[in-house]
Amino acid sequence: MSVIELESVSKRYETGGEVVDALDCVDFAAARGEMVTVIGPSGSGKSTMLNMIGLLDTPTDGRVRLDRQDVTDCTADELTEQRRSTIGFVFQDFHLLPMLSATENVELPSMWDTSVDRRERAETLLRRVGLGDRLEHTPDELSGGQRQRVAIARSLINEPDILLADEPTGNLDQETGRTILEELTRLKTDEDVAIVSVTHDEQMLEYADRVVRIVDGVIE
Ligand SMILES: Nc1ncnc2c1ncn2[C@@H]1O[C@H](COP(=O)(O)OP(=O)(O)OP(=O)(O)O)[C@@H](O)[C@H]1O
Ligand SMILES: [Mg+2]
């Protein structure tokens, strides 16, 4: 069963008289426990598609469903709330705050939630990604692969259904990239999340349950 679904989604940008159809009638779905990897040339619409799945932008046409609920016409506030409780993000350049420890970085997206012991959950997640001995380290005291592990732990703090990753191995050497991919593969089962990633990294395809190719805004 799909946790996220795009149905005939189109996205048109109009800037200064120029019209770009970044997405053209895209159908896409992902289920918990699977890793879907989206590949395509530069400018093909990958980030635009990830923004639709992540509820960061709204389509020009088509429907978006989250856990089978149509969220296309939700207000910006409603989308923010849905995003916070349902979707985790991992970025190519980690996006960690330099002044905060690993634990504090992981806790950050859950600051609004007073109902759980955030510190404990953050530490548990960091231990799960092999950083139990790095809890108090700041990002500059960590390696690239360790920083990405912190970012992955952070993406899971609100127990999301979906984890979105834009080039998660883009700033890592091949060997470190591989360990991150192994980590994601393990987490997709352990945390029962759908992982949707965008990449240029050919080795990511090996770890994908499904590969989606996009060219000029159209899925092949
Ligand atoms: N905010 C915007 N305004 C106007 N055009 C945009 C905007 N965002 C993206 N585009 C255009 O939409 C198309 C798809 O862009 P998108 O960023 O989704 O590509 P991409 O596949 O992620 O490329 P890359 O691999 O280089 O990151 C491109 O032609 C781009 O110029
Ligand atoms: Mg992009």
Side-chain angles (χ1 to χ4, degrees):
M1 199 189 70
S2 305
V3 45
I4 182 76
E5 204 181 334
L6 304 181
E7 187 193 320
S8 302
V9 161
S10 296
K11 182 66 178 182
R12 169 170 288 193
Y13 292 114
E14 297 183 40
T15 35
E18 198 207 0
V19 174
V20 176
D21 287 308
L23 294 178
D24 188 6
C25 251
V26 163
D27 289 313
F28 175 84
R32 287 171 195 272
E34 76 169 338
M35 170 134 61
V36 186
T37 299
V38 180
I39 63 160
S42 180
S44 58
K46 300 183 298 296
S47 292
T48 306
M49 185 171 155
L50 215 61
N51 289 345
M52 297 296 149
I53 298 171
L55 312 184
L56 291 165
D57 204 350
T58 49
T60 313
D61 241 314
R63 313 304 299 179
V64 180
R65 281 187 211 91
L66 194 62
D67 259 327
R68 294 204 287 179
Q69 184 199 339
D70 195 322
V71 295
T72 321
D73 299 320
C74 284
T75 64
D77 283 352
E78 287 167 344
L79 288 177
T80 301
E81 184 50 41
Q82 295 271 11
R83 199 161 54 231
R84 202 154 50 182
S85 56
T86 318
I87 303 168
F89 295 89
V90 174
F91 303 95
Q92 176 173 0
D93 49 2
F94 323 132
H95 285 199
L96 300 175
L97 293 186
M99 308 302 285
L100 300 184
S101 70
T103 307
E104 289 164 342
N105 266 289
V106 173
E107 277 183 74
L108 205 58
S110 66
M111 283 310 184
W112 55 281
D113 188 353
T114 52
S115 70
V116 293
D117 187 340
R118 297 188 304 261
R119 174 61 46 105
E120 193 181 306
R121 176 152 169 80
E123 290 181 359
T124 302
L125 284 167
L126 282 167
R127 283 192 197 98
R128 201 170 298 171
V129 297
L131 292 177
D133 56 349
R134 294 288 189 278
L135 300 177
E136 298 310 319
H137 285 56
T138 51
D140 67 329
E141 297 167 336
L142 298 169
S143 71
Q146 288 170 337
R147 288 178 202 174
Q148 193 59 303
R149 281 168 201 278
V150 174
I152 290 169
R154 180 188 55 190
S155 77
L156 296 168
I157 189 76
N158 291 330
E159 302 185 314
D161 303 322
I162 307 159
L163 204 159
L164 300 182
D166 204 342
E167 300 270 3
T169 59
N171 278 347
L172 304 173
D173 62 75
Q174 198 171 23
E175 177 67 23
T176 310
R178 198 165 274 282
T179 67
I180 290 298
L181 291 169
E182 276 156 15
E183 194 70 60
L184 289 172
T185 303
R186 208 161 53 74
L187 288 169
K188 113 192 143 179
T189 313
D190 289 358
E191 300 280 326
D192 199 27
V193 287
I195 301 180
V196 182
S197 61
V198 159
T199 193
H200 288 104
D201 181 0
E202 288 288 324
Q203 79 170 350
M204 263 208 92
L205 303 186
E206 279 175 50
Y207 291 84
D209 298 304
R210 200 147 52 82
V211 176
V212 168
R213 289 173 197 275
I214 183 167
V215 176
D216 287 340
V218 178
I219 288 185
E220 300 199 307

